Amino acid sequence: MGRLIIISNRLPFSLDREGDKVSIRQSSGGLVSAIKSYFENTAAQKGNLTEKMWMGVADFPQEDWDLAEASGMAGQDFGIIPLFMDKDLYDNYYSGFSNSVLWPLFHYFSSLASYESQYFDAYVQVNRLFAEKIAPLLEPDDQVWIHDYQLMILPHLLRQKKPEATIGFFLHIPFPSYEIFRLLPTEWKKTLLHGVMGADLIGFHTYDYVQHFLQSAKMLLGVDNYFHNLQYQDRLIRIDLFPIGIDYNKFHSAADDPELLEMRHKIRNELGDKKIIFSVDRLDYTKGLQSRLNAFEYFIERYPEWREKMVFILNVVPSRDSIPAYNERKKMIEEKIGTINGRFSTISWQPIIYRYNHLSFNELVALYQAADVALITPLRDGMNLVAKEYVASSVGGKGVLILSELAGAASELSEAILVNPTDTADVASAITRALAMPLYEQRNRIALMQRRLQEYDVTKWVNDFMDQLAQVKQEQQKQKVKLLDEKATAGIRRHYQRTKNRCLLLDYDGTLVPFSRIPSEAAPDNAVKDLLLRLSSDPKNHVVVISGRDVSSLDRWLGALPLTLVAEHGASFKMKNETWQQLVSVSDLWKDEIRRVMQTFVTRCAGSFIEEKMNTIAWHYRNTQTGLGFSRSRELLNTLSQLIQNTTLQVIDGNKVVEVRIAGFDKGATALKIINEMDPDFVLCMGDDTTDEDMFKALEGEAYTIKVSSGASAAQYTILSQQQVLPLLNLLTLPFAAPENGQEVRPTIPSAS
Ligand code: GDG
């Protein structure tokens, strides 16, 4: 039974002190109530979690905390782990690296980022303080969930101290495209990516952010993804989207609160029958206040019929006012409001009602409910909860949401009027459209959005994340079971040394030799040739190199050795000390059409090329721009699969290669044929590619099958890199140093499952 430990920059409450008395002010944020509700229903029990803890930086002095603890007030909802730190250090980490580098850059305001090295140093140091504080407290069944851009390297720092820990990470802001992310100094960006990848599960709000992250991981760390999974170093990591939800019922049922009802009536009465346009945001340049005001001004100019018939209630919530970029914006915004009001106000009407303060929950929801239109136009926003809260608060389906297409929420709220926030005319026309929208249309749109928000609320979001975290852990466990460890190696080695009629089936590229940028240059070096010679010179061994390569390459590189060679997945073969034989002999005409299609892909994807063999034609994309090559390969697979329908050809999705070959033979059938003919007492089969999977399946229960590289496989064991292949083969031949004590157990070959 473990604990759920939430780690975020701030704790979910503040302390107020008057004399010797402290009082606690709980945060009403969605995450707090979601975690509480996760524990109130059965989900936490399902995940075997008994307690909830929260760790974050305290924004109050240690002595206030001691007082709160002494009076038994602290830690009612959560066990609290406060972190106290030096103010300068905190400022450099929070106002500095977090909010003057990561925040502007991740929201595409690259010109506002100030790349000060003391900011980065403080960021690393504070993340380290978090790791040092939490690591000694962790117990084996605990699940750690780290939140947001202030703590991106904490997952790795914690993993270093606790390799087995269960760690999730969620980013609440956008993950930018690679072109933006790469603007960071090299050491910083690698540290950040490597840092996040200390987690087992990494969550983002949208599909785009997931793709951006995967691309950065590919470009900067050379890690390829397989759907949502990454194999990084020796761990499986999952990257997925979890669009955060809101506490739907809290907003939806707030309408029944009498105090709130009164507030709503008051707002309505004071504004008469004027339509209300409403927005509420933290003071932040990402929220698009300046462009929103420009659009609103243009709207009054362009659509004078609406003058005196509507008001815009603009509520700005103070935020990060110690950072210069924020303070300057406040002045600019207030000047613009002054200009608009000065320009269009009449004795009885002022177009903008501006407030710079924090609203109580009831005030906020009363405004949501009173507003005919919510105008939410951030220039970039990870998600934007205000948009969701406005929709959830609607009474009787009334209200129109105008939403920026650059907010993460836009991908879920497609029934809103979506606008580009910098397109003044577009936003102005959306405002007229919203003000004039018939009630039945408002209801239709709100109902559809409400249904979606209700289904995937914040509790569901927490459940979803925690379920996936548990799943990744299980998959890692399964993978670990397959890793060829010392014990399994010793078992295979003992078996090898006791047997007299052995068959070794070895793939070539990616197994015996590393991949080469140009296939024709992948010649074996002396180490490979020496080892193959030593293995094949042993009369107890029958060594088979089984490859998709053509006859001439295999013959040139390995023809002089006493090996059996299988070329083009079995279409041609040369038994030990014999000559080459070809199994199929058909006309080459089929290649013309395939070559023509592949040629168009060579033109469209720089760096790719075609390789022709006797029975195969292949398009290689190993040397192309990462990402582009992969997406072109998906298109090519699609085109070729349609083209070869009703023929005897077959398309193979290989390792950075798409191949078309004559169907009817594969490495599996060939391997099986060989071992059926020789009836060996020991079979070892190694390979790295999709085509080797045919062998692994065909030899299930008959051989030790070993996949070189990670990822799903039918092989019984996995080794993680090609560099381990020769040492492993070498080791098999070395006699054990001393007679072993105890009774030797003949190893059996477990079936691969
Ligand atoms: C980050 C990401 C992502 C605002 N003013 C008042 C008030 N609020 C509440 C809202 C809402 C929250 O604050 C603001 O959430 P947003 O999502 O709009 O924006 P960020 O603060 O920037 O949050 C964002 C979010 O994390 C979650 O992942 O959506 O993209 O930037 O809940 O209701 N609440 C009260 N008075 C106010 O004056 N009571």
Coordinates of all heavy atoms in Angstrom, one line a residue, residues 363-398:
E363 N -18.3 35.2 -7.3 CA -18.3 36.4 -8.2 C -18.0 35.9 -9.6 O -18.6 36.3 -10.6 CB -17.3 37.4 -7.8 CG -17.7 38.5 -6.9 CD -16.5 39.3 -6.5 OE1 -15.5 38.8 -5.9 OE2 -16.5 40.5 -6.9
L364 N -16.9 35.0 -9.6 CA -16.5 34.5 -10.9 C -17.6 33.8 -11.7 O -17.9 34.0 -12.8 CB -15.3 33.6 -10.7 CG -14.7 32.9 -11.9 CD1 -13.9 33.9 -12.8 CD2 -13.7 31.8 -11.6
V365 N -18.2 32.9 -11.0 CA -19.3 32.0 -11.6 C -20.5 32.9 -12.0 O -21.1 32.7 -13.0 CB -19.6 30.8 -10.8 CG1 -20.7 30.0 -11.5 CG2 -18.4 30.0 -10.5
A366 N -20.8 33.9 -11.1 CA -21.9 34.8 -11.4 C -21.6 35.5 -12.7 O -22.5 35.7 -13.6 CB -22.1 35.8 -10.3
L367 N -20.4 35.9 -12.9 CA -20.1 36.6 -14.1 C -20.1 35.7 -15.3 O -20.6 36.0 -16.4 CB -18.7 37.3 -14.0 CG -18.7 38.6 -13.3 CD1 -17.3 39.0 -12.8 CD2 -19.2 39.7 -14.2
Y368 N -19.6 34.4 -15.1 CA -19.7 33.4 -16.2 C -21.2 33.3 -16.6 O -21.5 33.3 -17.8 CB -19.2 32.1 -15.7 CG -17.7 31.8 -15.6 CD1 -17.2 30.9 -14.7 CD2 -16.8 32.5 -16.5 CE1 -15.9 30.6 -14.7 CE2 -15.5 32.2 -16.4 CZ -15.0 31.3 -15.5 OH -13.7 31.0 -15.4
Q369 N -22.1 33.2 -15.6 CA -23.5 33.0 -15.9 C -24.2 34.2 -16.5 O -25.1 34.0 -17.4 CB -24.2 32.5 -14.7 CG -23.7 31.1 -14.3 CD -24.4 30.6 -13.0 OE1 -25.0 31.4 -12.2 NE2 -24.3 29.4 -12.7
A370 N -23.8 35.4 -16.1 CA -24.4 36.6 -16.6 C -24.0 36.9 -18.0 O -24.7 37.6 -18.8 CB -24.1 37.7 -15.7
A371 N -22.8 36.4 -18.4 CA -22.2 36.9 -19.7 C -22.9 36.2 -20.8 O -23.1 35.0 -20.9 CB -20.7 36.5 -19.7
D372 N -23.2 37.0 -21.8 CA -23.8 36.5 -23.1 C -22.7 35.9 -24.0 O -22.9 35.0 -24.7 CB -24.5 37.6 -23.8 CG -25.6 38.2 -23.0 OD1 -26.7 37.5 -23.0 OD2 -25.5 39.2 -22.4
V373 N -21.5 36.5 -23.8 CA -20.4 36.0 -24.7 C -19.1 36.0 -23.8 O -18.9 36.9 -23.0 CB -20.1 37.0 -25.8 CG1 -18.9 36.6 -26.6 CG2 -21.3 37.1 -26.7
A374 N -18.4 34.9 -23.9 CA -17.0 34.9 -23.2 C -16.0 35.0 -24.4 O -16.0 34.3 -25.4 CB -16.8 33.5 -22.5
L375 N -15.1 36.0 -24.2 CA -14.2 36.3 -25.2 C -12.8 35.9 -24.7 O -12.1 36.6 -24.0 CB -14.2 37.8 -25.5 CG -13.3 38.3 -26.6 CD1 -13.7 37.7 -28.0 CD2 -13.5 39.9 -26.8
I376 N -12.3 34.7 -25.1 CA -11.1 34.1 -24.6 C -10.1 33.9 -25.7 O -10.3 33.0 -26.5 CB -11.5 32.8 -23.8 CG1 -12.5 33.2 -22.7 CG2 -10.2 32.2 -23.2 CD1 -13.1 32.1 -22.0
T377 N -9.2 34.8 -25.8 CA -8.3 34.8 -26.9 C -6.8 34.9 -26.6 O -6.1 35.8 -27.0 CB -8.7 36.1 -27.8 OG1 -8.5 37.2 -26.9 CG2 -10.1 36.1 -28.3
P378 N -6.3 33.8 -25.9 CA -4.9 33.8 -25.7 C -4.1 33.6 -27.0 O -4.6 33.0 -27.9 CB -4.7 32.6 -24.8 CG -5.9 31.7 -25.0 CD -7.0 32.7 -25.4
L379 N -2.9 34.2 -26.9 CA -2.0 34.0 -28.1 C -1.4 32.6 -28.1 O -1.0 32.0 -29.1 CB -0.9 35.0 -28.1 CG -1.4 36.5 -28.2 CD1 -0.3 37.5 -28.0 CD2 -2.1 36.7 -29.5
R380 N -1.3 32.0 -26.9 CA -0.9 30.6 -26.7 C -1.4 30.3 -25.3 O -1.3 31.1 -24.4 CB 0.6 30.4 -26.7 CG 1.3 30.5 -27.9 CD 1.1 29.3 -28.8 NE 1.5 29.6 -30.2 CZ 1.5 28.8 -31.2 NH1 1.1 27.6 -31.0 NH2 1.8 29.2 -32.4
D381 N -1.9 29.1 -25.1 CA -2.3 28.6 -23.8 C -2.2 27.1 -23.8 O -2.7 26.5 -24.7 CB -3.7 29.1 -23.6 CG -4.0 29.4 -22.1 OD1 -3.3 28.9 -21.3 OD2 -4.8 30.3 -21.8
G382 N -1.6 26.5 -22.7 CA -1.5 25.1 -22.7 C -2.9 24.5 -22.9 O -3.1 23.6 -23.7
M383 N -3.8 24.9 -22.0 CA -5.2 24.4 -22.2 C -6.2 25.6 -22.2 O -6.8 25.9 -23.1 CB -5.5 23.4 -21.0 CG -7.0 23.0 -20.9 SD -7.5 22.2 -22.5 CE -6.8 20.6 -22.4
N384 N -6.3 26.3 -21.1 CA -7.2 27.3 -20.7 C -8.5 26.8 -20.1 O -9.4 26.3 -20.7 CB -7.6 28.2 -21.9 CG -8.3 29.5 -21.4 OD1 -9.3 29.4 -20.8 ND2 -7.6 30.6 -21.7
L385 N -8.5 26.9 -18.8 CA -9.6 26.3 -18.0 C -10.8 27.3 -18.0 O -11.9 26.8 -17.8 CB -9.1 26.1 -16.6 CG -8.0 25.0 -16.4 CD1 -7.6 24.8 -15.0 CD2 -8.5 23.7 -17.0
V386 N -10.5 28.6 -18.1 CA -11.6 29.6 -18.1 C -12.6 29.2 -19.1 O -13.8 29.2 -18.9 CB -11.0 31.0 -18.3 CG1 -12.2 32.0 -18.5 CG2 -10.2 31.4 -17.0
A387 N -12.2 28.8 -20.3 CA -13.1 28.5 -21.4 C -14.0 27.3 -21.0 O -15.2 27.4 -21.2 CB -12.3 28.1 -22.7
K388 N -13.4 26.3 -20.4 CA -14.2 25.2 -20.0 C -15.1 25.5 -18.8 O -16.3 25.1 -18.8 CB -13.2 24.0 -19.5 CG -12.4 23.5 -20.6 CD -11.6 22.2 -20.2 CE -11.0 21.5 -21.5 NZ -10.3 20.3 -21.1
E389 N -14.7 26.4 -17.9 CA -15.5 26.7 -16.8 C -16.7 27.6 -17.2 O -17.8 27.4 -16.7 CB -14.7 27.5 -15.8 CG -13.6 26.7 -15.1 CD -12.5 27.5 -14.3 OE1 -12.7 28.8 -14.3 OE2 -11.6 26.9 -13.8
Y390 N -16.5 28.4 -18.2 CA -17.6 29.2 -18.7 C -18.7 28.3 -19.3 O -19.9 28.4 -19.0 CB -17.1 30.2 -19.8 CG -18.2 30.9 -20.5 CD1 -18.9 31.9 -19.9 CD2 -18.6 30.6 -21.8 CE1 -19.9 32.6 -20.5 CE2 -19.6 31.3 -22.5 CZ -20.3 32.3 -21.8 OH -21.3 32.9 -22.4
V391 N -18.2 27.3 -20.1 CA -19.2 26.4 -20.7 C -20.0 25.6 -19.6 O -21.2 25.5 -19.7 CB -18.5 25.5 -21.7 CG1 -19.4 24.4 -22.2 CG2 -18.0 26.3 -22.9
A392 N -19.2 25.1 -18.7 CA -19.8 24.3 -17.6 C -20.8 25.1 -16.8 O -21.8 24.6 -16.3 CB -18.7 23.7 -16.7
S393 N -20.6 26.4 -16.6 CA -21.4 27.2 -15.7 C -22.7 27.6 -16.4 O -23.6 28.2 -15.7 CB -20.7 28.5 -15.3 OG -19.4 28.2 -14.8
S394 N -22.8 27.4 -17.7 CA -24.0 28.0 -18.4 C -25.3 27.4 -17.9 O -25.4 26.2 -17.6 CB -23.9 27.6 -19.9 OG -25.1 27.7 -20.5
V395 N -26.2 28.3 -17.7 CA -27.6 27.9 -17.2 C -28.5 27.9 -18.4 O -28.6 28.8 -19.1 CB -28.1 28.9 -16.2 CG1 -29.4 28.5 -15.6 CG2 -27.1 29.2 -15.1
G396 N -29.1 26.7 -18.6 CA -30.1 26.6 -19.7 C -29.5 26.7 -21.0 O -30.1 27.0 -22.0
G397 N -28.2 26.4 -21.1 CA -27.5 26.4 -22.4 C -27.3 27.8 -23.0 O -27.0 27.9 -24.2
K398 N -27.5 28.8 -22.3 CA -27.3 30.2 -22.8 C -25.8 30.5 -22.8 O -25.1 30.2 -21.8 CB -28.1 31.2 -22.0 CG -28.1 32.6 -22.6 CD -28.9 33.5 -21.7 CE -28.1 34.1 -20.6 NZ -26.9 34.9 -20.7

